[in-house]
Amino acid sequence: MFAHVDINNCYVSCETLFNPTLKGRVVVVLSNNDGCVIARSNEAKAAGIKMGDAEFMVRQRLKELDAVIFSSNYALYADMSARMMNNLARYTYMLMVYSIDEAFLALANLKTDLEKHVAMISKNVMRDTGLSITIGIGPTMALAKLANKAAKKQKRDYLVLDTADKIYQTIKDFPIEDVWGVGRQYYDKLTELDIKTAEDFRQMKPETVRQYMTVQGWRLHQELWGKPCNVIKDIADRSKGIESSQSFNTYQTELEMIEEAAAMHAATVAIKLRQQKSMALQLTIYLRTNKHNIKHDQHYPSITVKVPFAINSTHELTKICIQGLRAIYEPGYNYLKTGIRATGIIPAGEVQYNLFSDYDNSKQLALSNLMDEINDRYGRGKLRIAAEGYEKTWKMKQEFLSKQYTTDWQDIIVTK
């Protein structure tokens, strides 16, 4: 059996946890640069505020609702996520963090009452973290994910699909577009075939599924029949790469300012690589203008650099990214965003060196690890390389940012 767990209204829940007066109110969290709505309280959903709504388009509506607005507080959300994941790890021999607010747990063949076991997990996570979660249980990862969504629709804390009848009763009316793995492209194809529910999809012949949806669709089809095709991994998925990007709070035309942002992204990518004990063989650096502003000339340059040896050193990544940025930058454009993507991810212990080279990254790695230790103790970004600059005039707009309740000594709540 597998469990799928996610935090209910994650970003809003994290804000409400440290400000209980928000309960029952319309609360929204905005994306980078306070651009659009990316999280909503149940009250905001009921009021018609939609995911992805541009802030300027719903500004008046939010004012009428006396809504509380927050900028994305990623440090807070990431820390609360880590607390939940550490808590969940006590109930499984293998945990896979799927996103900041989602995780899969391998439950194997527990010799216990699943209903009671799941209720205990939900209760303990709330007790230990203050976060409300929903849990879906099923014989495959796809059914566990489906059970979680069904539980939310039924306004339940959890749903266990441990019999064929329970599975059928849940999927017979479950919309196909809400099934994990059915994206827009597959949904359009299935609509043409008059497939409307998960049960409709399950009744398709496997060879027909493979014809229209390739092997991924076939695996999903098998999983909905209770035949596991996906496995929980206890390591990060290295196939997707690691990326860090961010829009500027205003247009940038000077190379120096853009270099500082690129250096910050390079440092972020390097940290993520070291955290998952990986190294990168390839780096992509890109720039973006604002495609929605037709008054400005558009420019979307990028460059991909293959490094001689796999790296995860902050200094090495920054040096390569700055060089790449200088190669693609052109004056005269109003740039709105830059980003760094690391691909060709391999385990740190599997680096292939050249017989004819004396390359040694031990000093760079030792320096990066020392920076990590200092920043872990005194706060992220307290010690950084000079290329990141000192005053970040280009940083993203965050007019509604809440406090760093769990990661900054100055913001820790004090009781009397």
Side-chain angles (χ1 to χ4, degrees):
M1 299 295 286
F2 298 87
H4 175 260
V5 181
D6 76 344
I7 304 172
N8 298 326
N9 305 328
C10 178
Y11 293 177
V12 171
S13 293
C14 291
E15 299 289 357
T16 305
L17 179 62
F18 293 93
N19 186 357
T21 62
L22 298 176
K23 292 181 178 179
R25 297 189 62 182
V26 174
V27 181
V28 298
V29 178
L30 304 177
S31 63
N32 288 349
N33 289 314
D34 297 341
C36 60
V37 176
I38 58 171
R40 307 158 295 162
S41 65
N42 290 332
E43 292 74 16
K45 295 176 183 177
I49 304 300
K50 297 181 175 60
M51 284 287 286
D53 277 349
E55 185 274 335
F56 73 92
M57 294 184 67
V58 295
R59 186 178 299 159
Q60 183 58 37
R61 176 60 175 156
L62 292 174
K63 187 175 181 180
E64 293 170 357
L65 294 168
D66 191 27
V68 181
I69 304 172
F70 290 101
S71 302
S72 294
N73 189 340
Y74 296 119
L76 174 64
Y77 308 152
D79 185 67
M80 294 309 301
S81 170
R83 296 183 185 205
M84 185 197 73
M85 300 304 175
N86 288 335
N87 199 285
L88 291 177
R90 296 188 297 171
Y91 306 106
T92 179
Y93 62 92
M94 190 173 294
L95 173 79
M96 185 175 81
V97 178
Y98 190 66
S99 68
I100 191 171
D101 65 339
E102 293 180 85
F104 283 99
L105 286 70
L107 299 181
N109 296 313
L110 287 176
K111 304 300 182 183
T112 184
D113 186 318
L114 278 174
E115 295 277 347
K116 292 182 179 179
H117 185 68
V118 176
M120 178 267 295
I121 294 176
S122 178
K123 178 182 177 181
N124 288 354
V125 169
M126 170 59 80
R127 180 197 64 196
D128 297 338
T129 68
L131 296 172
S132 171
I133 62 173
T134 300
I135 307 176
I137 303 287
T140 67
M141 292 174 68
L143 283 171
K145 180 91 170 178
L146 188 149
N148 189 298
K149 285 192 174 183
K152 287 181 180 292
K153 292 181 179 181
Q154 298 171 21
K155 297 183 179 180
R156 300 173 55 173
D157 293 333
Y158 57 85
L159 179 61
V160 178
L161 302 181
D162 54 355
T163 67
D165 184 61
K166 287 182 181 179
I167 293 173
Y168 171 74
Q169 293 299 327
T170 302
I171 72 172
K172 65 177 183 178
D173 298 317
F174 195 88
I176 187 62
E177 62 267 28
D178 290 341
V179 174
W180 184 39
V182 177
R184 170 55 58 181
Q185 184 178 3
Y186 285 157
Y187 173 67
D188 290 340
K189 290 181 179 179
L190 292 171
T191 300
E192 293 176 3
L193 297 171
D194 198 32
I195 303 299
K196 298 178 180 179
T197 68
E199 177 60 16
D200 291 340
F201 177 69
R202 203 168 66 150
Q203 293 304 322
M204 291 178 66
K205 294 181 179 180
E207 55 270 22
T208 304
V209 173
R210 191 153 190 166
Q211 176 186 349
Y212 286 96
M213 300 178 64
T214 69
V215 68
Q216 287 299 112
W218 177 84
R219 288 174 179 168
L220 174 60
H221 185 263
Q222 295 295 298
E223 290 232 333
L224 290 181
W225 278 109
K227 303 173 183 177
C229 293
N230 296 307
V231 295
I232 288 183
K233 303 173 183 176
D234 60 350
I235 58 174
D237 184 356
R238 300 185 172 95
S239 62
K240 297 180 181 179
I242 296 174
E243 183 170 356
S244 178
S245 64
Q246 178 180 298
S247 296
F248 304 120
N249 61 354
T250 186
Y251 292 118
Q252 297 295 329
T253 58
E254 299 297 325
L255 177 61
E256 182 179 356
M257 294 294 101
I258 301 175
E259 283 183 352
E260 289 184 4
M264 184 200 72
H265 294 314
T268 300
V269 169
I271 290 171
K272 290 181 178 179
L273 284 168
R274 292 194 294 273
Q275 286 176 340
Q276 68 176 45
K277 296 179 174 57
S278 298
M279 289 187 164
L281 288 166
Q282 194 165 270
L283 297 174
T284 298
I285 304 95
Y286 59 87
L287 282 167
R288 299 286 185 267
T289 51
N290 186 357
K291 65 180 180 180
H292 301 293
N293 191 334
I294 59 176
K295 296 180 180 180
H296 293 168
D297 292 333
Q298 301 299 313
H299 195 218
Y300 313 112
S302 68
I303 186 172
T304 298
V305 181
K306 292 184 178 180
V307 298
F309 302 100
I311 56 174
N312 63 10
S313 159
T314 299
H315 291 75
E316 291 291 332
L317 263 83
T318 302
K319 180 169 66 174
I320 293 172
C321 289
I322 294 298
Q323 292 173 347
L325 184 66
R326 291 174 180 174
I328 62 175
Y329 167 82
E330 290 187 21
Y333 290 99
N334 295 298
Y335 292 108
L336 186 63
K337 184 177 183 179
T338 186
I340 310 297
R341 184 185 306 114
T343 52
I345 311 297
I346 64 171
E350 298 179 11
V351 179
Q352 182 67 54
Y353 294 105
N354 192 313
L355 181 64
F356 303 101
S357 171
D358 59 355
Y359 174 77
D360 181 10
N361 73 333
S362 57
K363 290 184 178 179
Q364 294 287 355
L365 184 58
L367 183 57
S368 294
N369 288 336
L370 179 60
M371 290 179 64
D372 291 344
E373 291 177 10
I374 293 174
N375 287 327
D376 285 345
R377 180 167 183 173
Y378 295 103
R380 184 173 178 179
K382 290 296 183 182
L383 179 63
R384 55 183 184 268
I385 59 178
E388 293 186 51
Y390 180 69
E391 293 291 341
K392 294 183 173 62
T393 59
W394 45 264
K395 66 181 180 180
M396 64 181 174
K397 177 182 175 183
Q398 291 180 304
E399 292 185 356
F400 311 102
L401 188 65
S402 57
K403 294 182 178 181
Q404 312 294 332
Y405 296 107
T406 65
T407 57
D408 191 323
W409 287 109
Q410 303 300 318
D411 291 341
I412 289 179
I413 295 175
V414 178
T415 60
K416 296 182 180 179

